[in-house]
Amino acid sequence: LNDPSFATEFGRFNLEVNTAPRRLEGDCLSQTEAELRTKLARVSAAAHGLNGEVVLTGILPTLRKSDLTLDNISPKQRYHALNEAMTELGREDFEFRLRGADELIVKHDSVMLESCCTSFQVHYQADPDTLVNLYNTAQAITAPLLACAVNSPLLFGRRLWMETRIPLFQQGLDTRSASASMRERASRVSFGRQWMQRSAVELFQEDIARFRVLLGSKIDEEPMVVLRQGGIPKLRALQIHNGTIYRWNRACYGVTDGLPHLRIENRVLPAGPTVLDEVANGAFFWGLMRGLP
């Protein structure tokens, strides 16, 4: 971490892997494991060039607050824009209060504490007709799923939650001031308020109504015109805004290989401790999602 080339080689301090087998059949889990090992080998090779090793963990125990400077932010415009947007909303000082076996109270001047959190995010694709039942299933299984997978017990040498990513991430991207919290404004990181009733549209409507736009982008389509012409809209504005609302189970719209789809993104699983553990955690999630409905 002390090497000045670290930021260039690795960007942020985490490797977030978004993965899901296309179908839960055949050797899909073995394929997932093989893909993860291939990606891990590339990262390990880069780390070895800096005399380092890779650890799969939700929060790297050896991280120091001094490592979390903007000099080490990923060289992507999105992360710089997010930090600037949070600052413009009044988060000049990011204060964190975490209590477990130990207690940690710390202030920081950027969103970089959020980069301590390394997730293993898995997705489950759904048809519009089955999404409501599947999303509610994802909500219902979150507690036992997380209990089986915790891997973030330490931050700055303090023993906090067994999965410290949860409160750290929630506080790191909370745009509310203390007075706003008293007025019960919603947090951008949340588990949600109620079961899904009709469709994913109600989640998107709630997020548009409750939260200010943090990030913008040039939009080069008129969705209704695209639909009338028989095309498939990308809904880029919705995707960007949805990407700044951090539900632990997030409904996502996307277009892959020319086909639109809905999927449920599970964000609660931490990285590690091994590739095999990650695949097992994913298998547990996918199996519950397939079996419980």
Side-chain angles (χ1 to χ4, degrees), residues 4-22:
S5 62
F6 184 89
T8 303
E9 294 287 342
F10 290 97
R12 293 200 305 172
F13 297 110
N14 61 13
L15 172 66
E16 292 192 0
V17 179
N18 294 276
T19 183
R22 288 185 177 272

mmCIF file with all atom_site columns, all heavy atoms in Angstrom, residues 4-22:
data_model
loop_
_atom_site.group_PDB
_atom_site.id
_atom_site.type_symbol
_atom_site.label_atom_id
_atom_site.label_alt_id
_atom_site.label_comp_id
_atom_site.label_asym_id
_atom_site.label_entity_id
_atom_site.label_seq_id
_atom_site.pdbx_PDB_ins_code
_atom_site.Cartn_x
_atom_site.Cartn_y
_atom_site.Cartn_z
_atom_site.occupancy
_atom_site.B_iso_or_equiv
_atom_site.pdbx_formal_charge
_atom_site.auth_seq_id
_atom_site.auth_comp_id
_atom_site.auth_asym_id
_atom_site.auth_atom_id
_atom_site.pdbx_PDB_model_num
ATOM 1   N N   . PRO A 1 4  ? 3.822   4.033   -4.416  1.00 0.00 ? 4  PRO A N   1
ATOM 2   C CA  . PRO A 1 4  ? 3.034   5.060   -5.105  1.00 0.00 ? 4  PRO A CA  1
ATOM 3   C C   . PRO A 1 4  ? 2.300   4.534   -6.330  1.00 0.00 ? 4  PRO A C   1
ATOM 4   O O   . PRO A 1 4  ? 1.352   5.158   -6.794  1.00 0.00 ? 4  PRO A O   1
ATOM 5   C CB  . PRO A 1 4  ? 4.086   6.109   -5.490  1.00 0.00 ? 4  PRO A CB  1
ATOM 6   C CG  . PRO A 1 4  ? 5.387   5.390   -5.464  1.00 0.00 ? 4  PRO A CG  1
ATOM 7   C CD  . PRO A 1 4  ? 5.262   4.362   -4.379  1.00 0.00 ? 4  PRO A CD  1
ATOM 8   N N   . SER A 1 5  ? 2.733   3.406   -6.874  1.00 0.00 ? 5  SER A N   1
ATOM 9   C CA  . SER A 1 5  ? 2.053   2.864   -8.044  1.00 0.00 ? 5  SER A CA  1
ATOM 10  C C   . SER A 1 5  ? 0.836   2.033   -7.676  1.00 0.00 ? 5  SER A C   1
ATOM 11  O O   . SER A 1 5  ? 0.124   1.533   -8.547  1.00 0.00 ? 5  SER A O   1
ATOM 12  C CB  . SER A 1 5  ? 3.018   1.989   -8.859  1.00 0.00 ? 5  SER A CB  1
ATOM 13  O OG  . SER A 1 5  ? 3.458   0.879   -8.103  1.00 0.00 ? 5  SER A OG  1
ATOM 14  N N   . PHE A 1 6  ? 0.588   1.889   -6.366  1.00 0.00 ? 6  PHE A N   1
ATOM 15  C CA  . PHE A 1 6  ? -0.524  1.039   -5.945  1.00 0.00 ? 6  PHE A CA  1
ATOM 16  C C   . PHE A 1 6  ? -1.854  1.545   -6.504  1.00 0.00 ? 6  PHE A C   1
ATOM 17  O O   . PHE A 1 6  ? -2.670  0.768   -7.007  1.00 0.00 ? 6  PHE A O   1
ATOM 18  C CB  . PHE A 1 6  ? -0.599  0.980   -4.417  1.00 0.00 ? 6  PHE A CB  1
ATOM 19  C CG  . PHE A 1 6  ? -1.677  0.046   -3.906  1.00 0.00 ? 6  PHE A CG  1
ATOM 20  C CD1 . PHE A 1 6  ? -1.401  -1.282  -3.695  1.00 0.00 ? 6  PHE A CD1 1
ATOM 21  C CD2 . PHE A 1 6  ? -2.950  0.514   -3.665  1.00 0.00 ? 6  PHE A CD2 1
ATOM 22  C CE1 . PHE A 1 6  ? -2.382  -2.136  -3.246  1.00 0.00 ? 6  PHE A CE1 1
ATOM 23  C CE2 . PHE A 1 6  ? -3.940  -0.344  -3.211  1.00 0.00 ? 6  PHE A CE2 1
ATOM 24  C CZ  . PHE A 1 6  ? -3.649  -1.670  -3.002  1.00 0.00 ? 6  PHE A CZ  1
ATOM 25  N N   . ALA A 1 7  ? -2.056  2.869   -6.430  1.00 0.00 ? 7  ALA A N   1
ATOM 26  C CA  . ALA A 1 7  ? -3.333  3.415   -6.882  1.00 0.00 ? 7  ALA A CA  1
ATOM 27  C C   . ALA A 1 7  ? -3.540  3.150   -8.372  1.00 0.00 ? 7  ALA A C   1
ATOM 28  O O   . ALA A 1 7  ? -4.645  2.857   -8.816  1.00 0.00 ? 7  ALA A O   1
ATOM 29  C CB  . ALA A 1 7  ? -3.387  4.917   -6.604  1.00 0.00 ? 7  ALA A CB  1
ATOM 30  N N   . THR A 1 8  ? -2.462  3.261   -9.141  1.00 0.00 ? 8  THR A N   1
ATOM 31  C CA  . THR A 1 8  ? -2.574  3.015   -10.575 1.00 0.00 ? 8  THR A CA  1
ATOM 32  C C   . THR A 1 8  ? -2.869  1.552   -10.856 1.00 0.00 ? 8  THR A C   1
ATOM 33  O O   . THR A 1 8  ? -3.666  1.211   -11.729 1.00 0.00 ? 8  THR A O   1
ATOM 34  C CB  . THR A 1 8  ? -1.271  3.427   -11.283 1.00 0.00 ? 8  THR A CB  1
ATOM 35  O OG1 . THR A 1 8  ? -1.011  4.795   -11.002 1.00 0.00 ? 8  THR A OG1 1
ATOM 36  C CG2 . THR A 1 8  ? -1.391  3.225   -12.777 1.00 0.00 ? 8  THR A CG2 1
ATOM 37  N N   . GLU A 1 9  ? -2.230  0.661   -10.112 1.00 0.00 ? 9  GLU A N   1
ATOM 38  C CA  . GLU A 1 9  ? -2.382  -0.768  -10.362 1.00 0.00 ? 9  GLU A CA  1
ATOM 39  C C   . GLU A 1 9  ? -3.746  -1.279  -9.912  1.00 0.00 ? 9  GLU A C   1
ATOM 40  O O   . GLU A 1 9  ? -4.349  -2.129  -10.552 1.00 0.00 ? 9  GLU A O   1
ATOM 41  C CB  . GLU A 1 9  ? -1.279  -1.551  -9.635  1.00 0.00 ? 9  GLU A CB  1
ATOM 42  C CG  . GLU A 1 9  ? 0.121   -1.282  -10.178 1.00 0.00 ? 9  GLU A CG  1
ATOM 43  C CD  . GLU A 1 9  ? 0.348   -1.939  -11.527 1.00 0.00 ? 9  GLU A CD  1
ATOM 44  O OE1 . GLU A 1 9  ? -0.418  -2.854  -11.881 1.00 0.00 ? 9  GLU A OE1 1
ATOM 45  O OE2 . GLU A 1 9  ? 1.294   -1.531  -12.221 1.00 0.00 ? 9  GLU A OE2 1
ATOM 46  N N   . PHE A 1 10 ? -4.220  -0.779  -8.789  1.00 0.00 ? 10 PHE A N   1
ATOM 47  C CA  . PHE A 1 10 ? -5.395  -1.372  -8.182  1.00 0.00 ? 10 PHE A CA  1
ATOM 48  C C   . PHE A 1 10 ? -6.594  -0.438  -8.078  1.00 0.00 ? 10 PHE A C   1
ATOM 49  O O   . PHE A 1 10 ? -7.689  -0.893  -7.812  1.00 0.00 ? 10 PHE A O   1
ATOM 50  C CB  . PHE A 1 10 ? -5.063  -1.872  -6.762  1.00 0.00 ? 10 PHE A CB  1
ATOM 51  C CG  . PHE A 1 10 ? -4.165  -3.065  -6.770  1.00 0.00 ? 10 PHE A CG  1
ATOM 52  C CD1 . PHE A 1 10 ? -2.806  -2.931  -6.594  1.00 0.00 ? 10 PHE A CD1 1
ATOM 53  C CD2 . PHE A 1 10 ? -4.682  -4.325  -6.955  1.00 0.00 ? 10 PHE A CD2 1
ATOM 54  C CE1 . PHE A 1 10 ? -1.970  -4.028  -6.601  1.00 0.00 ? 10 PHE A CE1 1
ATOM 55  C CE2 . PHE A 1 10 ? -3.865  -5.434  -6.971  1.00 0.00 ? 10 PHE A CE2 1
ATOM 56  C CZ  . PHE A 1 10 ? -2.502  -5.289  -6.793  1.00 0.00 ? 10 PHE A CZ  1
ATOM 57  N N   . GLY A 1 11 ? -6.401  0.890   -8.278  1.00 0.00 ? 11 GLY A N   1
ATOM 58  C CA  . GLY A 1 11 ? -7.517  1.793   -8.096  1.00 0.00 ? 11 GLY A CA  1
ATOM 59  C C   . GLY A 1 11 ? -7.950  1.802   -6.649  1.00 0.00 ? 11 GLY A C   1
ATOM 60  O O   . GLY A 1 11 ? -7.148  2.024   -5.758  1.00 0.00 ? 11 GLY A O   1
ATOM 61  N N   . ARG A 1 12 ? -9.208  1.546   -6.417  1.00 0.00 ? 12 ARG A N   1
ATOM 62  C CA  . ARG A 1 12 ? -9.677  1.486   -5.042  1.00 0.00 ? 12 ARG A CA  1
ATOM 63  C C   . ARG A 1 12 ? -9.122  0.224   -4.387  1.00 0.00 ? 12 ARG A C   1
ATOM 64  O O   . ARG A 1 12 ? -8.501  -0.612  -5.017  1.00 0.00 ? 12 ARG A O   1
ATOM 65  C CB  . ARG A 1 12 ? -11.209 1.460   -4.998  1.00 0.00 ? 12 ARG A CB  1
ATOM 66  C CG  . ARG A 1 12 ? -11.818 2.764   -5.480  1.00 0.00 ? 12 ARG A CG  1
ATOM 67  C CD  . ARG A 1 12 ? -13.235 2.906   -4.991  1.00 0.00 ? 12 ARG A CD  1
ATOM 68  N NE  . ARG A 1 12 ? -14.052 1.751   -5.365  1.00 0.00 ? 12 ARG A NE  1
ATOM 69  C CZ  . ARG A 1 12 ? -15.282 1.578   -4.924  1.00 0.00 ? 12 ARG A CZ  1
ATOM 70  N NH1 . ARG A 1 12 ? -15.795 2.416   -4.086  1.00 0.00 ? 12 ARG A NH1 1
ATOM 71  N NH2 . ARG A 1 12 ? -15.997 0.540   -5.306  1.00 0.00 ? 12 ARG A NH2 1
ATOM 72  N N   . PHE A 1 13 ? -9.389  0.091   -3.093  1.00 0.00 ? 13 PHE A N   1
ATOM 73  C CA  . PHE A 1 13 ? -8.832  -1.022  -2.351  1.00 0.00 ? 13 PHE A CA  1
ATOM 74  C C   . PHE A 1 13 ? -9.694  -2.271  -2.449  1.00 0.00 ? 13 PHE A C   1
ATOM 75  O O   . PHE A 1 13 ? -9.520  -3.206  -1.687  1.00 0.00 ? 13 PHE A O   1
ATOM 76  C CB  . PHE A 1 13 ? -8.680  -0.643  -0.867  1.00 0.00 ? 13 PHE A CB  1
ATOM 77  C CG  . PHE A 1 13 ? -7.731  0.477   -0.653  1.00 0.00 ? 13 PHE A CG  1
ATOM 78  C CD1 . PHE A 1 13 ? -8.179  1.716   -0.259  1.00 0.00 ? 13 PHE A CD1 1
ATOM 79  C CD2 . PHE A 1 13 ? -6.374  0.303   -0.872  1.00 0.00 ? 13 PHE A CD2 1
ATOM 80  C CE1 . PHE A 1 13 ? -7.299  2.767   -0.059  1.00 0.00 ? 13 PHE A CE1 1
ATOM 81  C CE2 . PHE A 1 13 ? -5.486  1.341   -0.667  1.00 0.00 ? 13 PHE A CE2 1
ATOM 82  C CZ  . PHE A 1 13 ? -5.953  2.580   -0.271  1.00 0.00 ? 13 PHE A CZ  1
ATOM 83  N N   . ASN A 1 14 ? -10.678 -2.280  -3.330  1.00 0.00 ? 14 ASN A N   1
ATOM 84  C CA  . ASN A 1 14 ? -11.511 -3.470  -3.397  1.00 0.00 ? 14 ASN A CA  1
ATOM 85  C C   . ASN A 1 14 ? -11.664 -3.970  -4.818  1.00 0.00 ? 14 ASN A C   1
ATOM 86  O O   . ASN A 1 14 ? -11.465 -3.255  -5.782  1.00 0.00 ? 14 ASN A O   1
ATOM 87  C CB  . ASN A 1 14 ? -12.886 -3.230  -2.772  1.00 0.00 ? 14 ASN A CB  1
ATOM 88  C CG  . ASN A 1 14 ? -13.671 -2.143  -3.478  1.00 0.00 ? 14 ASN A CG  1
ATOM 89  O OD1 . ASN A 1 14 ? -13.313 -1.726  -4.562  1.00 0.00 ? 14 ASN A OD1 1
ATOM 90  N ND2 . ASN A 1 14 ? -14.728 -1.674  -2.851  1.00 0.00 ? 14 ASN A ND2 1
ATOM 91  N N   . LEU A 1 15 ? -11.969 -5.232  -4.919  1.00 0.00 ? 15 LEU A N   1
ATOM 92  C CA  . LEU A 1 15 ? -12.290 -5.861  -6.195  1.00 0.00 ? 15 LEU A CA  1
ATOM 93  C C   . LEU A 1 15 ? -13.709 -6.376  -6.068  1.00 0.00 ? 15 LEU A C   1
ATOM 94  O O   . LEU A 1 15 ? -13.957 -7.389  -5.433  1.00 0.00 ? 15 LEU A O   1
ATOM 95  C CB  . LEU A 1 15 ? -11.332 -7.022  -6.485  1.00 0.00 ? 15 LEU A CB  1
ATOM 96  C CG  . LEU A 1 15 ? -11.683 -7.884  -7.700  1.00 0.00 ? 15 LEU A CG  1
ATOM 97  C CD1 . LEU A 1 15 ? -11.550 -7.068  -8.978  1.00 0.00 ? 15 LEU A CD1 1
ATOM 98  C CD2 . LEU A 1 15 ? -10.805 -9.119  -7.766  1.00 0.00 ? 15 LEU A CD2 1
ATOM 99  N N   . GLU A 1 16 ? -14.645 -5.648  -6.639  1.00 0.00 ? 16 GLU A N   1
ATOM 100 C CA  . GLU A 1 16 ? -16.028 -6.075  -6.569  1.00 0.00 ? 16 GLU A CA  1
ATOM 101 C C   . GLU A 1 16 ? -16.334 -6.924  -7.796  1.00 0.00 ? 16 GLU A C   1
ATOM 102 O O   . GLU A 1 16 ? -16.120 -6.512  -8.931  1.00 0.00 ? 16 GLU A O   1
ATOM 103 C CB  . GLU A 1 16 ? -16.969 -4.866  -6.520  1.00 0.00 ? 16 GLU A CB  1
ATOM 104 C CG  . GLU A 1 16 ? -16.858 -4.076  -5.229  1.00 0.00 ? 16 GLU A CG  1
ATOM 105 C CD  . GLU A 1 16 ? -17.983 -3.077  -5.055  1.00 0.00 ? 16 GLU A CD  1
ATOM 106 O OE1 . GLU A 1 16 ? -18.850 -3.017  -5.953  1.00 0.00 ? 16 GLU A OE1 1
ATOM 107 O OE2 . GLU A 1 16 ? -17.995 -2.384  -4.025  1.00 0.00 ? 16 GLU A OE2 1
ATOM 108 N N   . VAL A 1 17 ? -16.800 -8.129  -7.552  1.00 0.00 ? 17 VAL A N   1
ATOM 109 C CA  . VAL A 1 17 ? -17.098 -9.050  -8.635  1.00 0.00 ? 17 VAL A CA  1
ATOM 110 C C   . VAL A 1 17 ? -18.607 -9.223  -8.711  1.00 0.00 ? 17 VAL A C   1
ATOM 111 O O   . VAL A 1 17 ? -19.241 -9.669  -7.757  1.00 0.00 ? 17 VAL A O   1
ATOM 112 C CB  . VAL A 1 17 ? -16.418 -10.409 -8.410  1.00 0.00 ? 17 VAL A CB  1
ATOM 113 C CG1 . VAL A 1 17 ? -16.774 -11.361 -9.540  1.00 0.00 ? 17 VAL A CG1 1
ATOM 114 C CG2 . VAL A 1 17 ? -14.909 -10.239 -8.324  1.00 0.00 ? 17 VAL A CG2 1
ATOM 115 N N   . ASN A 1 18 ? -19.192 -8.823  -9.827  1.00 0.00 ? 18 ASN A N   1
ATOM 116 C CA  . ASN A 1 18 ? -20.606 -9.048  -10.056 1.00 0.00 ? 18 ASN A CA  1
ATOM 117 C C   . ASN A 1 18 ? -20.731 -10.263 -10.955 1.00 0.00 ? 18 ASN A C   1
ATOM 118 O O   . ASN A 1 18 ? -20.270 -10.253 -12.096 1.00 0.00 ? 18 ASN A O   1
ATOM 119 C CB  . ASN A 1 18 ? -21.242 -7.835  -10.745 1.00 0.00 ? 18 ASN A CB  1
ATOM 120 C CG  . ASN A 1 18 ? -21.238 -6.618  -9.851  1.00 0.00 ? 18 ASN A CG  1
ATOM 121 O OD1 . ASN A 1 18 ? -22.109 -6.452  -9.042  1.00 0.00 ? 18 ASN A OD1 1
ATOM 122 N ND2 . ASN A 1 18 ? -20.225 -5.773  -9.997  1.00 0.00 ? 18 ASN A ND2 1
ATOM 123 N N   . THR A 1 19 ? -21.331 -11.305 -10.445 1.00 0.00 ? 19 THR A N   1
ATOM 124 C CA  . THR A 1 19 ? -21.344 -12.538 -11.210 1.00 0.00 ? 19 THR A CA  1
ATOM 125 C C   . THR A 1 19 ? -22.620 -13.318 -10.959 1.00 0.00 ? 19 THR A C   1
ATOM 126 O O   . THR A 1 19 ? -23.234 -13.215 -9.908  1.00 0.00 ? 19 THR A O   1
ATOM 127 C CB  . THR A 1 19 ? -20.128 -13.414 -10.868 1.00 0.00 ? 19 THR A CB  1
ATOM 128 O OG1 . THR A 1 19 ? -20.137 -14.576 -11.697 1.00 0.00 ? 19 THR A OG1 1
ATOM 129 C CG2 . THR A 1 19 ? -20.147 -13.856 -9.414  1.00 0.00 ? 19 THR A CG2 1
ATOM 130 N N   . ALA A 1 20 ? -23.024 -14.060 -11.942 1.00 0.00 ? 20 ALA A N   1
ATOM 131 C CA  . ALA A 1 20 ? -24.144 -14.987 -11.790 1.00 0.00 ? 20 ALA A CA  1
ATOM 132 C C   . ALA A 1 20 ? -24.121 -15.950 -12.968 1.00 0.00 ? 20 ALA A C   1
ATOM 133 O O   . ALA A 1 20 ? -23.848 -15.547 -14.102 1.00 0.00 ? 20 ALA A O   1
ATOM 134 C CB  . ALA A 1 20 ? -25.476 -14.241 -11.767 1.00 0.00 ? 20 ALA A CB  1
ATOM 135 N N   . PRO A 1 21 ? -24.364 -17.217 -12.722 1.00 0.00 ? 21 PRO A N   1
ATOM 136 C CA  . PRO A 1 21 ? -24.475 -18.142 -13.850 1.00 0.00 ? 21 PRO A CA  1
ATOM 137 C C   . PRO A 1 21 ? -25.721 -17.811 -14.655 1.00 0.00 ? 21 PRO A C   1
ATOM 138 O O   . PRO A 1 21 ? -26.729 -17.347 -14.110 1.00 0.00 ? 21 PRO A O   1
ATOM 139 C CB  . PRO A 1 21 ? -24.600 -19.510 -13.167 1.00 0.00 ? 21 PRO A CB  1
ATOM 140 C CG  . PRO A 1 21 ? -25.151 -19.219 -11.815 1.00 0.00 ? 21 PRO A CG  1
ATOM 141 C CD  . PRO A 1 21 ? -24.595 -17.870 -11.433 1.00 0.00 ? 21 PRO A CD  1
ATOM 142 N N   . ARG A 1 22 ? -25.652 -18.015 -15.955 1.00 0.00 ? 22 ARG A N   1
ATOM 143 C CA  . ARG A 1 22 ? -26.818 -17.711 -16.786 1.00 0.00 ? 22 ARG A CA  1
ATOM 144 C C   . ARG A 1 22 ? -27.990 -18.635 -16.445 1.00 0.00 ? 22 ARG A C   1
ATOM 145 O O   . ARG A 1 22 ? -29.134 -18.232 -16.464 1.00 0.00 ? 22 ARG A O   1
ATOM 146 C CB  . ARG A 1 22 ? -26.446 -17.842 -18.269 1.00 0.00 ? 22 ARG A CB  1
ATOM 147 C CG  . ARG A 1 22 ? -25.529 -16.709 -18.752 1.00 0.00 ? 22 ARG A CG  1
ATOM 148 C CD  . ARG A 1 22 ? -25.292 -16.805 -20.255 1.00 0.00 ? 22 ARG A CD  1
ATOM 149 N NE  . ARG A 1 22 ? -24.478 -15.698 -20.710 1.00 0.00 ? 22 ARG A NE  1
ATOM 150 C CZ  . ARG A 1 22 ? -24.966 -14.519 -21.081 1.00 0.00 ? 22 ARG A CZ  1
ATOM 151 N NH1 . ARG A 1 22 ? -26.261 -14.304 -21.010 1.00 0.00 ? 22 ARG A NH1 1
ATOM 152 N NH2 . ARG A 1 22 ? -24.178 -13.557 -21.493 1.00 0.00 ? 22 ARG A NH2 1
#
